[in-house]
Amino acid sequence: MKEIKIVIAGPRGNMGREAVQLMQDTEHFNLVAVIDRKHEGKKLSELDGMPPLDVPVYTEIETCFTETQPEVLIDLTSPESGRKHIHAALEYGVRPVMGTTGFTQEEIIQLRQKTEEKGIGAIIAPNFAIGAILMMKFAQTAARYMPDVEIMEMHHDRKLDAPSGTAYKTAQLMAEVREAKIQGHQDEEETMEGARGAELEGMRIHSIRLPGLVAHQEVLFGGPGQTLSIRHDSINRASFMPGVRLSVETVLTLDTLVYGLEHIIE
């Protein structure tokens, strides 16, 4: 396959380290630079715990794009940095693959308009795990027939946003096929604020943050005399890399923004 020039933002994080390893394992991926919040002017090989790759480290994304001319940005940073990076990427004609979550629906609409004006593709993926995408698809199908549903998402205690992008995306997909309804007793009252979780069109979303977890989600449906549970567990972050690879290869063929890998998995 044709070589793809790639920049990774956030190489020292857990996901970033896996993405760097993906670059080493994929013959047609060429890591030309990384973007980090410090270590300007160093090589990736000089950073603690990083592989012996003589790849330059930048703190300024604009300088990075100007000097290295990448085709794709893989962003695995924070919501605040991710917002800055995706706008910079589009301005410089670099196709972003965003693993950073926290974008609002309004932001996604605005970014999609910008990609179409520029004529380049972008992907925002609430979850890169193929199994998680299948879990969301299965949940959407089930919601047609079992509209009483709650979502429990469980992540490590360093995750910044709640609910997770995966949980929010799952609820959005179910809302497309499920008529909005209030769940629980009509006179239900929380005796502790937040006990029933967040709410989207009557569906409840519960966020759990604990050390030892990676990324887990259960969608629990209830009906007369029965329940249905659809669950996905990422045991380690290697589970996300097939989706990252697919996104990098696919974003080069797009001329709009795609939100969610379910749109590129046939």
Side-chain angles (χ1 to χ4, degrees):
M1 297 183 68
K2 176 184 175 293
E3 181 182 272
I4 304 172
K5 296 173 65 178
I6 300 168
V7 166
I8 294 175
R12 291 185 296 117
N14 291 322
M15 278 286 286
R17 291 172 188 269
E18 290 289 347
V20 170
Q21 184 62 50
L22 176 67
M23 301 300 106
Q24 296 177 275
D25 295 340
T26 308
E27 186 175 354
H28 60 287
F29 283 5
N30 178 14
L31 181 63
V32 296
V34 298
I35 299 167
D36 191 74
R37 57 186 175 83
K38 53 185 180 179
H39 303 301
E40 172 72 29
K42 290 189 175 183
K43 300 291 187 181
L44 190 63
S45 57
E46 299 178 68
L47 307 189
D48 290 342
M50 301 307 296
L53 298 175
D54 288 331
V55 172
V57 179
Y58 292 85
T59 56
E60 295 297 328
I61 193 168
E62 294 83 2
T63 305
C64 176
F65 289 161
T66 299
E67 295 186 358
T68 64
Q69 298 290 305
E71 297 168 87
V72 176
L73 166 71
I74 299 174
D75 190 280
L76 304 167
T77 60
S78 65
E80 181 181 0
S81 295
R83 287 183 175 90
K84 173 187 173 183
H85 292 168
I86 191 170
H87 283 286
L90 295 177
E91 286 298 325
Y92 280 80
V94 180
R95 297 167 182 262
V97 170
M98 308 296 296
T100 304
T101 57
F103 292 96
T104 66
Q105 191 63 33
E106 182 179 353
E107 286 175 320
I108 291 168
I109 292 171
Q110 292 172 348
L111 288 166
R112 182 172 289 119
Q113 291 173 342
K114 191 169 184 177
T115 61
E116 292 173 357
E117 290 170 3
K118 297 285 186 179
I120 62 175
I123 293 175
I124 298 176
N127 199 314
F128 283 114
I130 304 301
I133 306 308
L134 295 173
M135 175 264 298
M136 289 189 278
K137 284 179 170 284
F138 298 157
Q140 184 182 42
T141 298
R144 293 180 183 273
Y145 308 100
M146 300 182 74
D148 290 280
V149 56
E150 304 212 0
I151 300 171
M152 284 69 68
E153 58 96 346
M154 298 150 276
H155 284 79
H156 55 88
D157 58 346
R158 289 167 297 176
K159 186 170 178 59
L160 297 177
D161 56 325
S164 68
T166 300
Y168 184 55
K169 180 65 173 177
T170 304
Q172 287 179 310
L173 289 171
M174 292 192 292
E176 292 177 5
V177 300
R178 169 190 175 275
E179 185 175 345
K181 62 173 292 187
I182 302 299
Q183 297 181 169
H185 196 282
Q186 62 180 2
D187 296 326
E188 178 182 89
E189 181 180 353
E190 289 182 335
T191 56
M192 292 182 65
E193 185 178 355
R196 290 288 287 120
E199 183 266 335
L200 191 151
E201 295 198 6
M203 294 177 281
R204 294 291 180 168
I205 305 174
H206 309 270
S207 296
I208 296 168
R209 299 289 178 265
L210 289 172
L213 296 173
V214 178
H216 317 262
Q217 181 168 295
E218 182 175 8
V219 188
L220 183 60
F221 297 86
Q226 62 179 324
T227 61
L228 170 65
S229 176
I230 301 173
R231 181 178 173 118
H232 176 262
D233 297 276
S234 281
I235 307 304
N236 60 56
R237 290 169 179 83
S239 64
F240 304 121
M241 292 306 108
V244 173
R245 174 173 173 165
L246 175 64
S247 297
V248 169
E249 294 169 345
T250 302
V251 76
L252 294 172
T253 69
L254 302 175
D255 56 7
T256 187
L257 182 147
V258 170
Y259 177 59
L261 296 196
E262 70 276 5
H263 298 296
I264 65 174
I265 294 177
E266 297 181 357

